Amino acid sequence: MDKRVGAPDSEQLAPTPARALLLATGLATLLVLLVVFYYPVWTVFENAVLRDGYGVFSALADPLAAVTPDVLLGVLSDPFFLGAAHTLFEAPLRVPGDAAAWTVEFLATARPALVSRPPFVVLVHEAGNVEFGLFGFTAYQAVLSTVLSVLLGVPGAWVLARFEFPGRSTLKSLTILPFVLPSIMVVAGFVATFGTFGTVNDVLAWLGFGRVEMLYTLELVVLAHAFYNAPLVTRMVGTAWENVNANAVETARSLGAGRVRSFTDVVLPQLVPALAASALLTFVFTFMTFPIVLGLGGLRLATVEVWLYASVNQLDYETAAALGTLETAFSLFFMYVYLRYEARRASSGTGKPLPRARLFSADTLRDWLSRAGIAAYGLVIVVVFVLPLASMVLASVGGLDDPTLEWWRLLVERQGGSRTEPSVAVWNSLLFGLGALAVALPMGVVVAAFSTRGGRLRKLGDTVLMAPIAVSGVVVGFGLLQGLVFGVDIGSYRVSVVGPAVVVMAHAVAGYPFVVRNVAPMLADLDDRLVEAARSLGADRARALWDVELPLVWPGVVAGAAFAFAISIGEFDSTVILAGENTYTMPVALKRFLVDRTAGPSIGPAAAMGTVLLVVTAVSFVVIDYVGGRYRP
Amino acid sequence: MKRRTYLKTGGAAAIAGLAGCLNVSESNDGTTTDTTTGGTTEGTTTGTASEPDEPLTIATYDSFFGDEGTAGNWLKQAWEAERDTKIEFTAPSNGVNEFISRKKQGASIDADLFVGLNTGELVRVDEQLPDATLFDTPGGLSHASRIKDSLQIDPERRALPYDTGYISLVYDSTEIEEPQTFDDLTSPAYQGALLAENAQTSDPGRAFLLWTIHEMGADGYLDYWQDLVENDVRILDDWQPAYNAYMNRERPIVVSYSTDQVYYHGEDELPRHQIGFLNDQGYANPEAMARFADTNQPETAAAFMDFVLTDEAQANIAVNNVQFPATTTADLPDEYDQYAHEPPEPVTFTYEELAGNLDGWINEWARQIASN
């Protein structure tokens, strides 16, 4: 690949409007990131690395005096956080001996255990008597979550990529839906589905299996993570599968390769990068998990993020900052690995896609078997994805035992001049979502354009630009509160930012990495000769991006747009901090209805609001895909 | 006095145009002037105004205000019917923590009163801000002497209780016998029966933890909790999920409030919603209000506090907030009295007992639970 983007061609020096626009967008992106991301996050981290009383500028002037490792080391050498690994930091000289003892102990006590608690048949989960600490446990549950997400997600990708059936494209755009659902609602749906007296147990009891306790186990937390992340795997792998070049497969077949051989040799290599990328993303997300663990696992399954949140709540900023710093370093490392992987994705995509089989017609035994497999998979999907959502909708009408429209009536009453009006929440959510989309798309496309031009250092730069994915929501929300809402002293003025605009900015910053990750690989796959041809015909970099590259990567832009919109709709933590009393969104309204005193201890009003959220966002995604699919720049 | 009055600053407005919602104020200590520009709907900007026209801003928690049938809404209507000053409620997502951080960082405090402070939070305020005054002591309140002595949470009388809840157990008598003592809960009969809340994140959860420390002592509570863990106690992050689990019949006992039957007193419901006072006790968790020292309308704020302590307001707050009044003279409606139960022996930790201990107790407890 040719990497010469900044070649000092003479025509590049002449500013053109398009080039100026590209530059301006790039600078604006940096400015937005600086104001609503890097600066706020730094205000949190500095508690972990700077001595009391030192600020950013004094630290830059005299880093030796300002920087202190004490707080970080305090966390690193605490067995509660690092388990057996804490000796690495507490007493490095003891490490070889400890590691030997550790290994012996691990080998003596660890055993693969087949845990069968329907519906999860097998999860290996006896780690032996070795202390893993909070970080170790967090990584462990993230690995399990990633494995399950991949197992659940890949068959979906196969079905969506290889079969034709009515509603396929709608289903595909709905795969993003779990992403937007506020965790409070997902927890309620999971409890209703998998609780001792939940739907699944009712069925088990009816079948004569007896009731099993699934709640508040690691298995259920892992399953809930799969609820959020398997659709991500489906989406990313499915797109790669659709881009597999049919000609290559046909060539392999014509050369005598069987079905299996042509799959492993031709198709699989093109899926592995997408698979690895989505698995790494899932790992990063589930490593930083928080509300799901609190809601479905309780304190006994606490993760690093849970502890971070508690530390912030107790105003123990030092511990919070240290945990946030370590967690971010860890996630950034994985982001870097992810980006290396993504760079290696095989180029393809411009050729002929594989033909899709019709789902509802089968002739051979093989066809019948595959349809049976898909039916079984469909059943799993219904249990994991549809039932929790259906349970929430059902809760909004009081359930099957005691049907009532009381909660919907309450929602309508709230419409008449109350503190939280449902329609205002819907309107704000859509408005902020569109705003975030309008900001995140140009940001993402520009960053993608800059970042696809290779180089090891560039990957490092990319990692930094992707940081919004790798920094935990608690850190960002807390940083925004201290850095923006409270304001900073500039001269004799105190400047603070509140209101809708900053919410939109915060949502855009959270969403733009998804635009980049959807667009950048496709940009990298483009035949460079197309751009070069355009350049040689006199188009500058911006013109080439707009006229040549963008139309070719448009599907990626649409996918990124859906993500950016989804992030904005579902965001809760920073919205509730930044928006203030009157600019509430659907998730904020949902939370307020959850603690509505006049409704008593009932999740009914919140479930009704959650149903509204579900419908509004489902319609939005279908519209985004429909409009985006038709429109070509 | 000059806070929230409009100031024309051309330069500031120009910067604000970029961000849309920039807030620029002069940061010379004490008196600040600020201007809000751009498309904000916050409504923090008012015209040049003298004290009576400026609304009294009350920071509180989400469910205190907003709709018909909340305590805050009743207070607002009753107050505004008699006075010129309007009331504005606001619910910062971090509660009092937000104001502690603001004070620490030198940011402005845009509220006059805080409503919904408990003892532990007041302790935290003082520990986090040893050299600053977040709240001050209002003088000359004619109704303050009616507050029950046992509920006073502040030796300096900055924070005045306006109601109290009692943490107790709620149990399903159709499934389980009433647990009489703390030790009952660790016995085989109650294995896998109890739902509690995380003391780090939840008010009733913290109150229950404090109750066990009150009973077992600072040296013994971790052992007691270890026994509870071994008896399969389940600790959820907040009251709402714990109570939902109870309602879903996941478990027959939940740590909750002794006012539970106010919601559930139907013939079928009562047996499923019995109140359990361990050792005939209940842990009192008074809610208090306090005036921000930075307020620019201290008299109005104090007058509001006095208003909250009148008999009529006390009765209405208690009923709407599903709690008990803080004063000795308030009269509750008979029906409410019938379903809201007070423990025979209310216990609680005082400010002095919590000071210096609270965060350590919670932290040790959380580490022990998470390590299991």
Side-chain angles (χ1 to χ4, degrees), chain B residues 269-286:
Chain B
E269 292 167 328
L270 263 183
R272 290 213 54 221
H273 290 271
Q274 290 295 305
I275 309 299
F277 293 121
L278 293 174
N279 298 1
D280 282 335
Q281 296 174 345
Y283 191 88
N285 196 27

Side-chain angles (χ1 to χ4, degrees), chain B residues 173-196:
Chain B
S173 65
T174 64
E175 288 201 26
I176 209 156
E177 294 276 302
E178 178 178 2
Q180 304 280 349
T181 65
F182 281 93
D183 288 334
D184 280 354
L185 289 178
T186 60
S187 69
Y190 294 94
Q191 186 173 18
L194 180 64
L195 284 157

Side-chain angles (χ1 to χ4, degrees), chain B residues 2-60:
Chain B
K2 271 188 274 168
R3 187 166 61 109
R4 290 180 227 149
T5 51
Y6 198 77
L7 175 78
K8 288 191 185 102
T9 36
I15 309 166
L18 277 175
C21 306
L22 216 55
N23 211 322
V24 182
S25 61
E26 263 176 58
S27 58
N28 39 9
D29 47 324
T31 53
T32 46
T33 352
D34 62 335
T35 163
T36 312
T37 33
T40 169
T41 53
E42 290 300 287
T44 46
T45 311
T46 58
T48 28
S50 55
E51 189 168 314
D53 293 337
E54 215 177 279
L56 192 69
T57 305
I58 299 173
T60 181

Side-chain angles (χ1 to χ4, degrees), chain A residues 133-376:
Chain A
L134 203 58
F135 273 90
F137 174 75
T138 307
Y140 173 61
Q141 63 80 25
V143 168
L144 290 183
S145 303
T146 306
V147 169
L148 190 65
S149 299
V150 168
L151 288 181
L152 265 180
V154 168
W158 175 60
V159 173
L160 283 177
R162 303 289 290 113
F163 292 93
E164 193 59 71
F165 52 93
R168 191 189 74 91
S169 63
T170 307
L171 194 65
K172 203 176 129 194
S173 44
L174 290 184
T175 51
I176 204 173
L177 200 55
F179 231 73
V180 303
L181 295 175
S183 50
I184 350 169
M185 237 37 260
V186 172
V187 167
F190 262 64
V191 168
T193 308
F194 298 100
T196 314
F197 293 89
T199 326
V200 170
N201 259 319
D202 284 350
V203 172
L204 287 177
W206 182 73
L207 291 173
F209 285 111
R211 295 180 185 273
V212 283
E213 178 141 309
M214 289 175 277
L215 286 182
Y216 317 107
T217 57
L218 184 58
E219 284 88 341
L220 201 71
V221 169
V222 166
L223 192 70
H225 286 161
F227 175 88
Y228 274 110
N229 292 299
L232 188 76
V233 176
T234 298
R235 232 181 146 76
M236 290 177 71
V237 176
T239 309
W241 215 322
E242 283 177 34
N243 281 338
V244 167
N245 195 335
N247 291 332
V249 179
E250 279 159 19
T251 310
R253 294 298 299 271
S254 70
L255 290 171
R259 271 171 181 272
V260 176
R261 185 71 194 265
S262 71
F263 178 79
T264 53
D265 284 7
V266 181
V267 179
L268 199 58
Q270 301 196 43
L271 299 187
V272 165
L275 194 64
S278 59
L280 270 169
L281 267 188
T282 302
F283 181 80
V284 170
F285 289 149
T286 50
F287 188 82
M288 297 191 300
T289 186
F290 151 62
I292 287 292
V293 170
L294 270 184
L296 287 174
L299 189 57
R300 293 184 69 177
L301 299 178
T303 58
V304 174
E305 187 83 349
V306 168
W307 213 261
L308 174 56
Y309 176 73
S311 305
V312 168
N313 260 341
Q314 291 177 31
L315 301 179
D316 180 2
Y317 295 157
E318 287 198 342
T319 306
L323 290 177
T325 308
L326 292 174
E327 191 187 53
T328 304
F330 191 77
S331 312
L332 277 179
F333 169 74
F334 278 96
M335 274 320 287
Y336 179 78
V337 175
Y338 163 82
L339 289 167
R340 306 279 328 155
Y341 236 111
E342 192 185 77
R344 269 193 254 143
R345 283 161 86 153
S347 71
S348 62
T350 42
K352 178 174 82 164
L354 291 166
R356 292 196 197 104
R358 289 178 50 201
L359 185 63
F360 296 114
S361 75
D363 304 319
T364 62
L365 178 65
R366 168 190 286 282
D367 282 354
W368 281 107
L369 281 176
S370 70
R371 299 312 186 274
I374 293 172

Side-chain angles (χ1 to χ4, degrees), chain B residues 4 7 76 108 128 144 158 171 217 260 322 367:
Chain B
R4 290 180 227 149
L7 175 78
K76 180 178 163 72
S108 64
Q128 292 282 333
R158 293 159 298 174
Y171 69 97
D260 187 83
V322 206
R367 278 178 174 237

